[in-house]
Amino acid sequence: MLYPIAISMGDDEHAWGVEVPDIPGCFSAGDDLDGAPIPPANKVTLHAANPQYAGCTWAVVDIDITKYLGKAQKLNITLPGYLLTRIDEYVLHHPEEKSRSGFLASAALKVLQQG
């Protein structure tokens, strides 16, 4: 579902703001419009141990960030047959990966996010 957002321009004294009018209380602000890399998510137990979040109820949401990574580019790669067979078997039993390319992209992203 797509939600409209309202963006307030910043200046020397005020941050840029963004608000989702259809979701009361959903807003954010930043010093500029430049995007920052999306950091990897931490484990819930790490956040739950933080006194700032004492008494909170926790849940996780699946956010597909691939649309923020840029346009897909086609390439030709070479992999050992055994590895390719294992990738295809994994994708067959894990439909969330959608394809061989999707699997390779998500695996690469996980490794790169680990630093």
Side-chain angles (χ1 to χ4, degrees):
M1 184 174 293
L2 299 175
Y3 285 90
I5 61 170
I7 300 171
S8 304
M9 290 186 9
D11 57 34
D12 291 340
E13 297 179 23
H14 303 91
W16 287 80
V18 62
E19 186 172 347
V20 185
D22 295 314
I23 306 175
C26 185
F27 59 90
S28 188
D31 292 332
D32 56 45
L33 289 178
D34 294 329
I38 299 170
N42 288 302
K43 301 238 181 233
V44 171
T45 52
L46 178 73
H47 294 300
N50 184 335
Q52 178 180 349
Y53 302 113
C56 289
T57 299
W58 292 93
V60 294
V61 295
D62 184 17
I63 300 174
D64 181 6
I65 64 167
T66 55
K67 60 181 146 188
Y68 306 110
L69 300 177
K71 185 177 183 237
Q73 297 182 15
K74 190 172 184 169
L75 70 132
N76 184 14
I77 63 170
T78 303
L79 294 172
Y82 175 73
L83 181 58
L84 193 55
T85 300
R86 290 201 57 206
I87 290 169
D88 289 344
E89 186 68 22
Y90 186 88
V91 170
L92 180 65
H93 293 93
H94 295 85
E96 69 276 5
E97 295 296 348
K98 297 185 177 73
S99 67
R100 183 187 290 164
S101 292
F103 171 83
L104 293 172
S106 64
L109 189 58
K110 286 175 188 171
V111 169
L112 294 172
Q113 285 179 331
Q114 293 172 357

